[in-house]
Amino acid sequence: MEQKTWPYKSGSHQFTGLPFINKPNKKSTKDPQTHQLNFTSKSSSSSSSSFLSASKCKEPDFSSLPYDVLARIVSSFSLPNLQSASLVCRAWRDALRPLREAMLFLKWGKRFKHGRGGVKPNLKKALDSFLKGAARGSTMAMVDAGLIYWEMGKKEEGIAWYRKAAELGNPAGQCNLGISYLQADPSNAKEAIDWLYQASVAGSVRAQYQLALCWHQGRVLHQNLQEAARWYLRAAEGGYVRAMYNTSLCYASGQGLVQSHRLARKWMKKAADRGHSKAQFEHGLGLFSGGEMMKAVVYLELATRAGETAAAHVKDVIIQQLSATSRDRAIHLADNWRALP
């Protein structure tokens, strides 16, 4: 699949983000679940003060922690972490029972969505499972429910669930909500940037990449290449492959980062080893320039298989300079190549 992640030489900024969201309707919608778990329960000042006073002791009374605070803390927990939290005290065990149930619904929802665990794909059953998990307070289930609504074309419902998860602090929900507003017609730039920034600070590499694109394009923010490169680098360090490729280009061109061909090669190889086809092409060219013919053929072959037609022409030229043994070895390596996680 063609990956357009860097401006064309014409000077126009044609960065593209992840293409899963298109022009949502910002109109609010009612909750799909009538028995939605309430996270805005009032916590009295006495319960808060009792927890604070207890925390000064050697053994704080965790059972006095207000429920709305506890729910916000654990709403994005994985099942093992949730089970561990349930062992703190009886009050937590009882309070977290709905979330433990939610994790089971979330698990079944993913099975139905992707056809795993011996079940056939069934989007309706997947949505039903996610909604049951969301009703019990799982922000991860809220995000998954929002995704399915979006895929069904029910964008209002999707945005509503993204917002619920976002307001409870889920970075994926914040990121999806930000992208929804960014690509709305008309776009809601302020809301989009606010949510993308919150998700980025919380560690969402996808949000960091999207925020970098905004700075680089200058479409909803004033163009700032230093800020763009900073967020590209953070997302790349967090493992986001497209950001690795763009970070390499920043180092190679000196845009937003101090020019360094060594670091440019480092990040280009990282992106190539994780399946980025353009990075495989450019890394192959770099190996060819450095005289490493057989390695160059491997990466150019991978890029060719991924749809980079220009890589095929360069590969054919190099292959003619290799022995039959080296050619066979290079193709064998390409056949057995697996992308790094």
Side-chain angles (χ1 to χ4, degrees):
M1 182 178 70
E2 187 176 1
Q3 296 157 311
K4 299 178 181 178
T5 56
W6 195 257
Y8 290 98
K9 293 183 179 180
S10 62
S12 62
H13 298 286
Q14 302 188 30
F15 276 52
T16 58
L18 294 186
F20 95 106
I21 284 183
N22 301 307
K23 301 181 180 180
N25 189 325
K26 294 184 290 183
K27 187 178 178 181
S28 62
T29 183
K30 294 183 179 180
D31 298 346
Q33 279 288 339
T34 57
H35 301 293
Q36 177 68 31
L37 187 64
N38 184 7
F39 279 94
T40 57
S41 58
K42 296 181 180 179
S43 55
S44 65
S45 58
S46 59
S47 62
S48 299
S49 59
S50 64
F51 176 75
L52 292 175
S53 60
S55 64
K56 298 178 181 178
C57 304
K58 292 183 179 179
E59 297 182 359
D61 181 11
F62 289 104
S63 63
S64 63
L65 183 69
Y67 177 71
D68 56 334
V69 177
L70 174 62
R72 179 175 287 273
I73 292 172
V74 304
S75 60
S76 295
F77 275 19
S78 63
L79 182 57
N81 289 338
L82 201 58
Q83 291 171 332
S84 297
S86 300
L87 297 176
V88 171
C89 61
R90 179 177 295 180
W92 283 28
R93 181 196 66 190
D94 295 340
L96 297 179
R97 181 176 295 130
L99 276 174
R100 293 196 300 273
E101 295 174 355
M103 295 306 296
L104 297 177
F105 284 114
L106 180 66
K107 181 179 179 180
W108 275 102
K110 290 185 179 297
R111 285 183 175 180
F112 282 122
K113 182 176 181 180
H114 302 291
R116 298 171 182 166
V119 300
K120 294 181 179 180
N122 188 318
L123 208 59
K124 184 177 179 180
K125 288 185 178 180
L127 178 60
D128 182 63
S129 296
F130 289 142
L131 289 176
K132 288 178 179 177
R136 287 163 173 78
S138 169
T139 58
M140 292 180 284
M142 294 175 193
V143 173
D144 280 324
L147 282 169
I148 289 187
Y149 273 125
W150 196 273
E151 292 168 359
M152 294 170 63
K154 299 181 178 180
K155 296 181 179 180
E156 292 182 8
E157 288 90 337
I159 290 175
W161 282 112
Y162 291 156
R163 178 171 282 279
K164 285 180 181 293
E167 290 174 346
L168 287 168
N170 184 281
Q174 293 168 344
C175 179
N176 287 4
L177 184 62
I179 297 174
S180 299
Y181 287 137
L182 190 64
Q183 298 189 2
D185 187 17
S187 65
N188 188 337
K190 184 180 183 304
E191 285 260 26
I193 297 304
D194 285 347
W195 286 115
L196 286 175
Y197 184 78
Q198 287 189 51
S200 297
V201 171
S204 168
V205 293
R206 182 162 169 262
Q208 291 166 357
Y209 176 74
Q210 293 292 332
L211 190 60
L213 288 176
C214 291
W215 282 114
H216 203 150
Q217 291 173 328
R219 184 161 61 90
V220 294
L221 293 167
H222 293 297
Q223 188 183 49
N224 187 321
L225 297 181
Q226 285 73 30
E227 279 296 300
R230 183 169 74 90
W231 286 109
Y232 282 142
L233 182 57
R234 284 190 61 174
E237 291 173 340
Y240 201 75
V241 178
R242 291 187 178 187
M244 294 177 187
Y245 177 72
N246 283 9
T247 297
S248 173
L249 297 182
C250 286
Y251 274 121
S253 63
Q255 292 188 32
L257 294 170
V258 177
Q259 191 173 41
S260 170
H261 294 298
R262 180 183 64 83
L263 291 174
R265 289 192 297 270
K266 167 191 169 182
W267 285 110
M268 191 64 73
K269 185 178 187 304
K270 283 180 174 288
D273 288 341
R274 286 159 180 79
H276 194 290
S277 62
K278 287 187 179 297
Q280 290 168 341
F281 180 27
E282 297 195 31
H283 184 56
L285 291 177
L287 291 169
F288 174 49
S289 299
E292 299 184 69
M293 302 294 194
M294 192 174 77
K295 288 184 179 180
V297 169
V298 174
Y299 282 97
L300 292 170
E301 174 66 19
L302 293 172
T304 300
R305 295 178 183 184
E308 299 293 332
T309 54
H313 302 299
V314 182
K315 181 197 67 175
D316 291 341
V317 172
I318 301 175
I319 280 182
Q320 293 176 7
Q321 304 175 38
L322 296 178
S323 66
T325 302
S326 296
R327 289 198 298 268
D328 292 343
R329 175 63 177 163
I331 299 303
H332 174 75
L333 291 173
D335 289 339
N336 292 278
W337 179 84
R338 296 292 182 273
L340 294 178

